[in-house]
């Protein structure tokens, strides 16, 4: 079955550590996105990528980094520079070019907690 | 830039009540419109979509009509159930905008249905 997979579902980070969240899709989508969601809040865009080896900052990119070496994969690293990383992280992908560009598919999310 | 405005929550309804969640948008091009649903601890799932004016999206008893003249895409359901309790997000995708292929989300509306 085609879909988008995030791992792990739960992740714990110690102060000063970098952690990497995985996002893999087998939908042959060009565009991929990372969002952050805080309790009771909406979605905030961290980074997005429309093509392999290219990505752009979203609204809250500070303290995060990404790579897009393969079409299927868009990992997010939460660095020690991110002072308040505890949140729910969502990855999404979308096809490009009308009419494909009509909906995004989301992973199940990774809940990151600083301990 | 593009924006989506949806009614603030939370919304609490009794089972079998009528539901309306208002959503209006601004977009530079001709967007596709979506409603996503998020159950606790999960990612977002596409509930319904509409890609052109006067289209009606429908799924699981929910409906929304793409109204270009009023730039609206209100979500309705005639009789809600306890299982409809979730957070609902209105969103658009505008392939003509400056941020091509970038989804724009509303802030979400939390719905609680009580027996």
């Amino acid at each position: 079955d085609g879909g988008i997979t995030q791992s792990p579902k739960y992740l714990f980070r110690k102060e000063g550590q970098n952690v990497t969240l995985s996002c893999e899709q087998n939908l042959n989508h060009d565009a991929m996105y990372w969002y952050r969601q805080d309790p009771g809040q909406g979605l905030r865009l961290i980074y997005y990528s429309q093509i392999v080896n290219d990505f752009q900052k979203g609204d809250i990119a500070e303290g995060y980094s990404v790579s897009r070496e393969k079409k299927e994969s868009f990992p997010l690293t939460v660095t020690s520079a991110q002072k308040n990383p505890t949140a729910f992280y969502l990855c999404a992908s979308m096809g490009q070019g009308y009419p494909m560009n009509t909906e995004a598919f989301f992973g199940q999310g990774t809940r990151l907690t600083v301990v | 830039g593009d924006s989506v405005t949806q009614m603030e929550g939370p919304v609490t309804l009794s089972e079998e009540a009528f539901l309306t969640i208002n959503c209006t948008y601004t977009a530079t091009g001709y967007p596709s419109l979506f409603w996503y649903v998020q159950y606790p601890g999960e990612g977002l799932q596409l509930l319904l979509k509409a890609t052109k004016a006067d289209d009606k999206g429908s799924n699981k008893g929910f409906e929304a009509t793409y109204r270009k003249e009023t730039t609206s895409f209100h979500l309705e359901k005639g009789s809600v159930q306890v299982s409809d309790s979730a957070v609902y997000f209105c969103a658009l995708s505008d392939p003509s905008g400056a941020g091509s292929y970038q989804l724009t989300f509303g802030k979400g509306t939390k719905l609680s249905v009580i027996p």
Side-chain angles (χ1 to χ4, degrees), chain A residues 9 31 33 35 37 41-43 45 48 50 88 90 94-98 101-109 111, chain B residues 32 34 36 38 41-46 49 51-52 89 93-95 99-108:
Chain A
K9 189 170 176 66
Y33 309 84
Y35 292 92
Q37 187 177 33
Q41 303 296 313
L43 304 177
L45 182 64
Y48 65 100
Q50 296 179 1
F88 191 52
L90 288 162
M94 189 161 64
Q96 297 202 69
Y98 191 85
N101 181 26
T102 58
E103 64 194 71
F105 292 80
F106 281 82
Q108 288 299 298
R111 186 165 300 281
Chain B
S32 296
F34 313 92
Y36 284 87
Q38 184 181 34
E42 298 185 7
L44 275 67
Q45 303 173 27
L46 181 68
K49 67 180 183 182
T51 58
K52 60 183 187 295
F89 290 91
S93 171
D94 185 358
S100 292
Y101 314 120
Q102 184 171 322
L103 281 175
T104 302
F105 286 89
K107 293 186 176 181

Side-chain angles (χ1 to χ4, degrees), chain A residues 52-66:
Chain A
V52 174
N53 292 323
D54 188 46
F55 47 84
Q56 286 78 41
K57 293 182 179 180
D59 301 319
I60 56 165
E62 186 175 351
Y64 300 97
S65 66
V66 294

Side-chain angles (χ1 to χ4, degrees), chain A residues 19-20 47 51 61 66 69 90-91 99 106-107:
Chain A
V19 291
T20 298
Y47 269 97
I51 197 169
V66 294
E69 297 177 0
L90 288 162
C91 181
F106 281 82

Side-chain angles (χ1 to χ4, degrees), chain B residues 14-94:
Chain B
S14 296
E15 204 164 24
E16 299 184 1
F18 184 84
L19 169 71
T20 299
I21 301 178
N22 290 335
C23 172
T24 57
Y25 68 90
T26 60
T28 55
Y30 199 142
S32 296
L33 303 174
F34 313 92
W35 277 100
Y36 284 87
V37 59
Q38 184 181 34
Y39 299 102
E42 298 185 7
L44 275 67
Q45 303 173 27
L46 181 68
L47 180 59
L48 53 84
K49 67 180 183 182
T51 58
K52 60 183 187 295
D54 300 325
D55 267 1
K56 177 185 283 188
S58 62
N59 186 25
K60 300 180 182 179
F62 291 90
E63 294 183 340
T65 300
Y66 190 142
R67 300 289 188 199
K68 195 168 190 291
E69 64 276 14
T70 56
T71 62
S72 64
F73 193 55
H74 305 320
L75 182 69
E76 296 182 337
K77 187 175 186 182
S79 176
V80 294
Q81 306 300 312
V82 172
S83 57
D84 294 327
S85 298
V87 180
Y88 293 82
F89 290 91
C90 185
L92 69 82
S93 171
D94 185 358

